[in-house]
Amino acid sequence: MRILFVGDVVGRSGRNIVNERLPALVRDWRLDCVIVNGENAAGGFGITEPIYHELIDAGADAITLGNHAWDQREALVFIERAPRLIRPINYPAGTPGRGAALLEAKNGARVLVINALGRIFMDALDDPFAAIDKELAACPLRSGADAIVIDLHAEATSEKQAMGYFTDGRASVVIGTHTHAPTADHQILPRGTAFISDVGMTGDYYSVIGMNKQEPLQRFLRRIPSAKFEPALGAATLCGLAVDRQSHRPCDPGGRGAIGRAARGSQARLLGLVFLNPVRSRPYN
């Protein structure tokens, strides 16, 4: 089973590259399940219902959120009729929507997708470790779901690494999101879970985490805000991680920068980082 997780989509530029490139990735990499973090998809802040449907139509099977989940206030309403939109599981009881969803992949497999917010340098919320542990107990890997993907939207690398080991062998993939900067620690953990501390963002990389450079520079240099943050609109780079669960054979998805790293007897194999820029003709590492 092949899973692709696409990093935080930022604004129109990020949406454009998803719309342009994701259908071909699904076809060429023979992807069974695609998960996209969409919490910055609407002008860099939150998500709207039309954008939710746009990403689903492009090939996403699920869309996760994060600390900007409610920046577009309409999300508090339409999330109830958007079964593939998943907000953090450790929001307080009574928050609209769902923090986990058991979905049917393109190949008919059952995929449990969980979204959670970290607590270090973030707003105080319920314990993500306890919330995820409870969900994994209710829907275990193999008996309850064929694959389990966790999106931990968190600032601290240590918290994300700790979550990887906490769920190692109980989840198929643990993906870190939020910082918009891809890390170089993609690996298969000892008990078979694929992991990366941060998968990066899908947006204009000639930017400051997806935003126009001028305003962040102004605030760092002079400590005086002069305008709103606006998403950069240059050509985007699509960042993601592709995983082949329960494959023990060498795999080269069309020569597209596959890393092909796997531990002996592992439950998953890394097909590779997706770092797809329109200036180049194919993904590269």
Side-chain angles (χ1 to χ4, degrees):
M1 178 176 182
R2 295 185 169 197
I3 300 167
L4 172 65
F5 192 103
V6 177
D8 308 43
V9 175
V10 182
R12 185 188 309 159
S13 182
R15 300 197 312 271
N16 285 346
I17 196 169
V18 169
N19 290 329
E20 292 166 5
R21 297 301 186 98
L22 184 56
L25 283 174
V26 171
R27 181 190 66 241
D28 296 344
W29 287 48
R30 302 188 302 279
L31 298 172
D32 300 304
C33 183
V34 176
I35 300 152
V36 175
N37 184 285
E39 71 137 10
N40 299 122
F45 300 95
I47 190 169
T48 64
E49 189 167 14
I51 289 173
Y52 163 76
H53 288 293
E54 178 184 341
L55 295 174
I56 294 293
D57 291 343
D61 296 287
I63 299 166
T64 54
L65 297 172
N67 58 304
H68 291 291
W70 315 125
D71 284 8
Q72 303 292 328
R73 303 300 291 176
E74 67 178 86
L76 287 162
V77 177
F78 86 80
I79 195 170
E80 296 290 4
R81 57 178 179 267
R84 295 174 181 269
L85 186 62
I86 304 164
R87 49 85 172 159
I89 196 170
N90 52 329
Y91 272 135
T95 301
R98 62 210 58 77
L102 186 64
L103 306 171
E104 183 177 335
K106 294 173 175 64
N107 65 345
R110 302 163 301 165
V111 181
L112 178 66
V113 181
I114 306 172
N115 185 207
L117 273 177
R119 294 194 294 183
I120 301 174
F121 309 126
M122 304 278 277
D123 291 338
L125 289 173
D126 291 343
D127 180 6
F129 290 85
I132 288 175
D133 191 47
K134 182 179 178 180
E135 190 64 33
L136 294 179
C139 187
L141 186 61
R142 288 177 287 278
S143 60
D146 300 306
I148 297 176
V149 180
I150 298 171
D151 172 5
L152 181 59
H153 200 78
E155 188 78 40
T157 301
S158 59
E159 189 172 20
K160 291 186 266 194
Q161 290 178 340
M163 182 62 75
Y165 287 108
F166 180 68
T167 60
D168 188 16
R170 298 191 292 158
S172 307
V173 187
V174 175
I175 298 281
T177 57
H178 178 63
T179 70
H180 292 201
T183 54
D185 61 344
H186 47 289
Q187 61 186 291
I188 302 294
L189 298 177
R191 295 182 180 177
T193 296
F195 172 81
I196 188 169
S197 287
D198 202 289
V199 72
M201 71 166 188
T202 297
D204 183 353
Y205 262 67
Y206 292 101
S207 67
V208 175
I209 61 169
M211 298 294 156
N212 279 329
K213 299 181 288 293
Q214 289 76 13
E215 182 58 21
L217 282 169
Q218 163 78 9
R219 296 190 188 192
F220 281 119
L221 293 171
R222 300 187 179 181
R223 309 301 300 171
I224 301 172
S226 61
K228 298 190 302 182
F229 285 124
E230 297 285 351
L233 298 177
T237 297
L238 188 151
C239 252
L241 184 71
V243 175
D244 189 4
R245 171 157 166 75
Q246 293 183 331
S247 172
H248 304 288
R249 304 186 307 276
C251 184
D252 178 10
R256 289 175 166 79
I259 293 168
R261 225 184 254 181
R264 176 176 293 179
S266 68
Q267 297 175 359
R269 181 180 183 84
L270 296 183
L271 294 182
L273 289 173
V274 181
F275 196 58
L276 182 61
N277 189 289
V279 175
R280 290 179 165 239
S281 61
R282 61 181 184 176
Y284 60 101
N285 296 333

